[in-house]
Amino acid sequence: MTAASARLLRLVALLAARPSWTCGELAARMAVTDRTVRRDITKLRELGYAVESDPGPWGGYRLRPGSRTPPLVLDDEEAIAVAVGLRGAALGGSLGGDQAALSALLKLGQVLPRRVADRLAAMDSALVHIPRPNEPQIAADMLRELAAACHRGERARLAYRDRNGKATVREVDPYRLVHTGRRWYFVARDVARNQWRTFRADRVDRLHPSGRPVELTDPPDPARLVSRSIACRPYPLTVTIRLPLPLDEALRLIPATVGAHRPDGPEATVVDVGGPDADGLARYLIGLATPLRVLSPDSVRQALVRRARDLLADNADNTDDTDDTDNADDTSNTDRADETGPG
């Protein structure tokens, strides 16, 4: 039975490797008779694989595209190539859906033979990922470890460094990994505090599963939790503005990772945005290039008025020697709508 199953997997791999095979070619590659090939083709069809054939002595067999995804059979070099590609997608965001790339990488790592896993580990240690500006570096092994912890559903001990570099060890119940486009966040329940928390994945030093399964009751929306925690991080100053836009349009203008939103009727939204100081927040608000009202504090409102007056004065007279330094500084903030906010 084992030999027959292995032969069927080998046959699927051959059929997937090129558009068409003759019966004789398949028999020669598998070191079996033509009759065995025909029997195996029949068995694959019974299992649900759409294997098409052309009649005649020169007819061939082929898998019909799109009918069903067969088991993926890779040789050593193909497995390493796929793993390296998935690693790059998970770390660099090239596919957009980084969760899918990370999940596929985790599944692949669980089924790789030891010889392939050892080669991949050696290659992993030699590869270097260059992050985007201000993007923290995180090892692929740590991402896989965190993803596996979420999948197992076991309580774990987390060695973590906070934003000030203080090291702590906590008991956590892992739940999800969330990617914001720049950073990975680990969502877990802090057992001692009995609170759902978000942890920067690049600040995790170690994770030790306890082997003790836990049942998570009423888990949060992980994406919403991460967005809220980023938007509400402790900033020196927070401005509250009112946008004459419904909530969905306000979220497109100021992402949930930048501000905390609440509707103010069907056609307006109030948003809290944190920043380093009044002038920095004023620059950010001008860069939004949309009507808005500053509700508080007065320091940001006054800074916004000063900047608006300066812009008006700089552009009031259309001369060639107009100094556009402030104007360029203001417009450069239009691309700052990410989770870092106007800092």
Side-chain angles (χ1 to χ4, degrees):
M1 178 64 71
T2 302
S5 299
R7 194 175 64 244
L8 287 177
L9 287 173
R10 172 67 172 157
L11 179 55
V12 170
L14 289 172
L15 290 171
R18 73 185 208 192
S20 180
W21 294 83
T22 66
C23 184
E25 288 173 331
L26 289 172
R29 291 293 294 269
M30 298 175 64
V32 297
T33 64
D34 289 6
R35 183 179 178 184
T36 299
V37 170
R38 287 193 289 270
R39 279 205 310 261
D40 287 349
I41 291 291
T42 299
K43 182 63 176 176
L44 288 180
R45 287 169 173 164
E46 291 173 354
L47 292 172
Y49 296 104
V51 182
E52 298 178 333
S53 59
D54 296 321
W58 301 107
Y61 294 106
R62 62 182 177 273
L63 281 174
R64 186 170 71 230
S67 57
R68 180 178 175 181
T69 303
L72 190 60
V73 182
L74 303 174
D75 62 27
D76 291 5
E77 300 303 322
E78 291 171 335
I80 289 175
V82 171
V84 171
L86 289 172
R87 178 189 187 275
L91 290 174
S94 60
L95 298 182
D98 307 281
Q99 291 281 9
L102 181 59
S103 175
L105 184 61
L106 176 64
K107 291 177 181 177
L108 184 62
Q110 291 173 337
V111 300
L112 287 177
R114 171 61 64 182
R115 65 181 184 280
V116 180
D118 289 344
R119 290 181 61 188
L120 183 60
M123 182 174 291
D124 234 5
S125 65
L127 293 176
V128 176
H129 170 64
I130 299 179
R132 289 176 291 227
N134 301 320
E135 177 188 313
Q137 187 76 274
I138 181 169
D141 284 345
M142 178 55 71
L143 276 181
R144 286 196 292 265
E145 188 175 343
L146 293 173
C150 295
H151 178 72
R152 285 192 300 263
E154 297 175 355
R155 184 159 293 175
R157 290 179 66 81
L158 179 76
Y160 186 73
R161 292 170 291 104
D162 64 17
R163 67 172 60 88
N164 298 317
K166 181 182 178 182
T168 58
V169 177
R170 320 183 191 196
E171 273 199 315
V172 297
D173 295 334
Y175 181 49
R176 290 291 186 271
L177 272 176
V178 176
H179 194 215
T180 65
R182 292 185 59 195
R183 295 189 177 102
W184 285 97
Y185 288 86
F186 178 52
V187 177
R189 190 175 72 90
D190 188 314
V191 176
R193 301 180 183 180
N194 194 26
Q195 291 180 343
W196 287 100
R197 306 295 297 271
T198 63
F199 302 93
R200 282 259 300 267
D202 57 287
R203 292 176 179 161
V204 175
D205 290 328
R206 293 178 308 281
L207 185 76
H208 297 292
S210 67
R212 182 174 51 180
V214 292
E215 183 176 349
L216 301 178
T217 58
D218 195 26
D221 179 329
R224 186 184 298 272
L225 182 67
V226 169
S227 296
R228 184 77 181 178
S229 66
I230 294 171
C232 296
R233 71 177 69 180
Y235 282 107
L237 188 64
T238 299
V239 63
T240 302
I241 63 172
R242 185 179 187 274
L243 298 171
L245 300 171
L247 180 60
D248 57 342
E249 293 184 28
L251 283 166
R252 285 195 290 270
L253 180 66
I254 302 176
T257 52
V258 172
H261 301 64
R262 55 188 181 276
D264 186 21
E267 299 299 326
T269 305
V270 174
V271 188
D272 298 321
V273 180
D277 51 45
D279 198 53
L281 284 166
R283 289 199 308 271
Y284 176 75
L285 296 178
I286 287 179
L288 294 176
T290 191
L292 59 88
R293 178 190 298 173
V294 175
L295 301 181
S296 67
D298 286 340
S299 59
V300 177
R301 184 184 303 110
Q302 293 165 4
L304 183 65
V305 170
R306 282 197 305 271
R307 282 199 161 263
R309 285 174 177 166
D310 289 344
L311 281 172
L312 182 62
D314 287 343
N315 291 276
D317 129 39
N318 196 13
T319 59
D320 291 336
D321 59 350
T322 300
D323 181 5
D324 62 356
T325 303
D326 285 345
N327 200 23
D329 182 42
D330 293 333
T331 56
S332 67
N333 283 280
T334 58
D335 63 350
R336 299 185 65 182
D338 57 24
E339 77 265 28
T340 62

